[in-house]
Amino acid sequence: MAARLSLKQDYERLLEDYDTWLFDCDGVLWQGSTLIDGVKEVLDFLRSKGKAVLFVTNNATKSRKSYKTKFDDLGIKADVDEVFGSAFASAVYISSVLKLPKDKKVYVIGMSGMEEELRDEGISFIGGTSPEDNTLEPFSLANWTPDPNVGAVLCGLDTSINYTKLSKAFAYLRRDPSVAFLVSNEDSTYPTADGLLPGAGSVSAPLRYALGKDPVAIGKPNSTMLTCIKAKHDFDPKRTIMVGDRLNTDILFGQSGGLSTLLVFTGITQETEITGPNASPIVPTYVTSSLGDLRVLITPQP
Amino acid sequence: MAARLSLKQDYERLLEDYDTWLFDCDGVLWQGSTLIDGVKEVLDFLRSKGKAVLFVTNNATKSRKSYKTKFDDLGIKADVDEVFGSAFASAVYISSVLKLPKDKKVYVIGMSGMEEELRDEGISFIGGTSPEDNTLEPFSLANWTPDPNVGAVLCGLDTSINYTKLSKAFAYLRRDPSVAFLVSNEDSTYPTADGLLPGAGSVSAPLRYALGKDPVAIGKPNSTMLTCIKAKHDFDPKRTIMVGDRLNTDILFGQSGGLSTLLVFTGITQETEITGPNASPIVPTYVTSSLGDLRVLITPQP
């Protein structure tokens, strides 16, 4: 059973036990475009105590650079190197793990943030935001010349998803089984300020269904994301805590990587989902209402 | 093991044993826009022997009326009442089984053929080919007023699939669990003259994934399609045969309905898929290379 934090000493113990703090963003730091109460103060306090603070998001529509702008806008201190998005992790996976040869290209279902990360990693790509593929015109294989250099298909959240993109990605993957099938993350839904919309996992679902084959998934809860973080920041899993609002992504991600986990209720998960007979089998180490609860640690200066 | 038909007497036995002949269309009667050799003669011959001839297709992009045009163009005799498409069967399901009240509407992901069948059955609908929903512009829940009268979402193959349609369908199904989730059919792929494209099952896969819930599927191999045929044509299952090219739709459909089945190799299934150690567990009653093989029955007139 998860330990419910409530007393000041509970939070003090947390501060003592963990040197590296990984945070999911939406539903933990902010909700849509609204900062969650106390978050800024808590993050500043953790930094003042010498803690490493890293941000881990499955959002693949934004590059780290444009994600950083969001932190700036909300007044949260963050360095680009502290932000790990699934688009960035996908690009790192393609260059470092898949080692896609330089003459090969990626066919992208995704948005400009994904393209920016691929470009920064020196990876050639087609599809994505190209006008040719952003169309509702009928698609016919007869009027299309596949690019023989496509060596991978990468699919993330794409709000311009259409039949042409799906058909091309399907054709690349079907014609040549050596073409890698990658998805930035498998989130079923995408939280917006006005409610849930279909997520990256839903956008790639047609390919999975048409091919009868599962992709390599990069983002949380998969370990690929943690491998990517470890490559840039050294940390001791035993003294690292993952703070998140989703059991099947954030908490599972932390657990799979041997980290401690803290679930907050400012996002997707309701408190009822972790108690009672129908409770999720994914049990966080700790739970607290909000990251803002850690303000109790901040002793007012005289 | 399936009986391989080869001798004239094999085909004569078939003619004796079955009064009602159900045919899948693409891959059995034609390939894309090319009639399969001998099909016209065989169908005419079956009719001349007093056999009932019915056409059963999962294609939900065409209404029965526009499907009939395809038969006319290829010179195959067919009456609209002999054609059963999954769009028609979906409309019949909504009015006769679901009994959707007249003041309720269907939100459609699908093409004009589906709209035509709904209209013919007196069912109100929104979405589909409406210009408002056929857009690649960003979708926001804040700028959208859901129609409170939507009582069902019906999804078929839609080559104008986009994020607005998926988001609206998802929102209707998520907000109110009493809204019925229907798909015309679950075919993973859609055969065209130039190769396979993602099918209706792939187009509805994002909804299935985002909702974590399976729809009611209408087309083959589901029994709903057979119920729909039975409502219009009386037949004895023991003296009825289903002829098709797909094991997991046509042959399974026939078997589930207690019909005999004949697999042909002019479409999706290769002969290697029904023999050897990796053979499919779905075993047709009979196999033959092509429907045209039945020409052996036609005695030339002196």
Side-chain angles (χ1 to χ4, degrees):
Chain A
M1 203 182 146
R4 185 60 150 114
L5 306 177
S6 61
L7 305 172
K8 185 173 179 184
Q9 67 210 54
D10 298 337
Y11 297 102
E12 282 169 345
R13 172 81 56 85
L14 220 60
L15 196 66
E16 252 167 54
D17 287 352
Y18 303 105
D19 301 325
T20 303
W21 292 61
L22 307 183
F23 295 95
D24 176 45
C25 302
D26 200 48
V28 174
L29 309 182
W30 56 70
Q31 291 164 330
S33 54
T34 311
L35 190 65
I36 291 168
D37 221 28
V39 159
K40 197 182 152 329
E41 297 86 326
V42 168
L43 292 176
D44 286 346
F45 176 75
L46 290 172
R47 286 184 189 277
S48 77
K49 293 292 174 186
K51 305 297 179 186
V53 169
L54 301 173
F55 306 101
V56 188
T57 170
N58 268 359
N59 189 326
T61 65
K62 290 192 174 73
S63 66
R64 286 176 304 157
K65 282 175 199 158
S66 56
Y67 226 72
K68 160 91 170 89
T69 315
K70 172 131 193 182
F71 283 86
D72 294 345
D73 290 348
L74 291 171
I76 308 176
K77 193 186 154 201
D79 192 86
V80 169
D81 289 340
E82 292 170 339
V83 181
F84 290 82
S86 67
F88 171 63
S90 298
V92 170
Y93 179 87
I94 290 167
S95 59
S96 308
V97 182
L98 197 61
K99 295 183 195 300
L100 191 74
K102 284 291 162 196
D103 60 331
K104 290 286 185 184
K105 288 174 198 166
V106 177
Y107 183 78
V108 171
I109 296 183
M111 304 175 76
S112 58
M114 185 176 272
E115 293 179 327
E116 196 178 325
E117 296 292 8
L118 290 171
R119 212 176 283 121
D120 282 0
E121 202 67 22
I123 299 164
S124 305
F125 60 87
I126 55 171
T129 60
S130 80
E132 184 195 338
D133 286 9
N134 284 271
T135 175
L136 289 178
E137 290 300 306
F139 175 78
S140 161
L141 288 165
N143 303 328
W144 175 58
T145 310
D147 187 322
N149 290 319
V150 166
V153 168
L154 172 61
C155 181
L157 182 61
D158 186 341
T159 59
S160 295
I161 186 66
N162 61 62
Y163 200 70
T164 292
K165 285 184 183 180
L166 291 172
S167 296
K168 288 187 178 181
F170 173 60
Y172 281 123
L173 292 164
R174 186 168 172 270
R175 280 156 189 239
D176 180 357
S178 78
V179 171
F181 179 21
L182 313 174
V183 298
S184 64
N185 63 299
E186 293 185 299
D187 292 11
S188 59
T189 56
Y190 174 63
T192 71
D194 309 298
L196 291 182
L197 294 177
S202 300
V203 167
S204 63
L207 296 177
R208 213 181 273 125
Y209 192 87
L211 293 159
K213 173 172 156 177
D214 285 326
V216 172
I218 310 292
K220 296 175 286 181
N222 304 287
S223 58
T224 315
M225 182 69 115
L226 202 64
T227 308
C228 175
I229 300 172
K230 267 184 189 154
K232 308 274 173 177
H233 290 270
D234 193 32
F235 61 83
D236 173 6
K238 289 206 186 66
R239 293 192 57 82
T240 300
I241 188 165
M242 170 75 209
V243 187
D245 70 316
R246 283 200 190 210
L247 291 168
N248 62 357
T249 53
D250 303 322
I251 303 306
L252 191 56
F253 170 72
Q255 285 179 349
S256 313
L259 318 180
S260 295
T261 55
L262 170 60
L263 178 72
V264 295
F265 298 117
T266 43
I268 295 276
T269 308
Q270 309 282 311
E271 190 144 11
T272 52
E273 293 172 57
I274 62 153
T275 50
N278 297 319
S280 165
I282 303 166
V283 181
T285 324
Y286 314 100
V287 300
T288 195
S289 301
S290 162
L291 181 57
D293 297 345
L294 275 76
R295 269 181 301 186
V296 72
L297 292 168
I298 310 172
T299 316
Q301 297 303 312
Chain B
M1 203 182 144
R4 185 60 152 112
L5 305 177
S6 60
L7 304 173
K8 186 173 179 183
Q9 67 210 54
D10 298 336
Y11 297 101
E12 281 170 346
R13 172 81 56 86
L14 220 60
L15 195 67
E16 251 168 54
D17 288 352
Y18 303 104
D19 302 324
T20 303
W21 292 60
L22 308 182
F23 294 95
D24 175 45
C25 302
D26 200 49
V28 173
L29 309 183
W30 58 69
Q31 290 164 330
S33 54
T34 312
L35 190 65
I36 291 168
D37 221 28
V39 159
K40 197 183 154 329
E41 296 87 324
V42 168
L43 292 176
D44 286 346
F45 176 75
L46 289 172
R47 286 184 189 278
S48 77
K49 293 291 173 186
K51 305 297 179 186
V53 169
L54 301 172
F55 306 100
V56 188
T57 170
N58 267 358
N59 190 328
T61 64
K62 289 193 174 73
S63 67
R64 287 176 305 156
K65 282 175 200 157
S66 57
Y67 226 72
K68 160 92 170 88
T69 315
K70 173 131 193 182
F71 283 86
D72 293 345
D73 290 348
L74 292 171
I76 308 176
K77 193 184 155 203
D79 192 86
V80 169
D81 289 339
E82 293 170 337
V83 181
F84 290 84
S86 67
F88 171 64
S90 298
V92 170
Y93 179 87
I94 290 167
S95 59
S96 308
V97 182
L98 197 61
K99 295 184 195 303
L100 191 75
K102 284 292 163 196
D103 61 331
K104 291 285 186 184
K105 289 174 198 166
V106 177
Y107 183 78
V108 170
I109 296 182
M111 303 175 76
S112 58
M114 185 176 272
E115 293 180 327
E116 196 178 326
E117 296 292 8
L118 290 171
R119 211 176 283 120
D120 282 0
E121 202 67 21
I123 299 163
S124 304
F125 61 87
I126 55 171
T129 61
S130 81
E132 185 194 337
D133 286 9
N134 284 270
T135 174
L136 289 178
E137 289 301 306
F139 175 78
S140 161
L141 288 165
N143 303 328
W144 175 59
T145 311
D147 187 322
N149 291 319
V150 166
V153 168
L154 171 61
C155 181
L157 182 61
D158 186 340
T159 59
S160 296
I161 187 66
N162 60 64
Y163 199 69
T164 292
K165 286 185 183 178
L166 291 172
S167 296
K168 288 187 178 181
F170 173 60
Y172 281 123
L173 292 165
R174 187 169 171 270
R175 281 156 188 239
D176 181 356
S178 77
V179 171
F181 179 20
L182 314 173
V183 298
S184 64
N185 64 298
E186 293 185 298
D187 292 11
S188 59
T189 56
Y190 175 63
T192 71
D194 310 297
L196 291 181
L197 293 177
S202 301
V203 167
S204 63
L207 297 177
R208 211 181 274 124
Y209 192 88
L211 293 159
K213 175 172 156 176
D214 284 327
V216 173
I218 309 292
K220 296 175 288 182
N222 304 287
S223 58
T224 315
M225 181 69 115
L226 202 64
T227 308
C228 175
I229 300 172
K230 268 184 190 154
K232 307 275 173 178
H233 291 270
D234 193 34
F235 61 82
D236 173 4
K238 289 207 185 67
R239 294 192 56 81
T240 299
I241 188 165
M242 172 73 210
V243 186
D245 70 316
R246 282 200 189 210
L247 291 167
N248 62 357
T249 54
D250 303 320
I251 303 305
L252 191 56
F253 169 73
Q255 284 178 349
S256 313
L259 319 179
S260 294
T261 54
L262 169 60
L263 178 72
V264 294
F265 298 117
T266 44
I268 295 276
T269 309
Q270 310 282 310
E271 191 145 9
T272 52
E273 292 172 57
I274 62 153
T275 51
N278 298 319
S280 165
I282 304 165
V283 180
T285 324
Y286 313 101
V287 300
T288 195
S289 302
S290 162
L291 181 57
D293 297 345
L294 275 77
R295 269 180 300 186
V296 72
L297 292 168
I298 309 172
T299 316
Q301 298 303 312

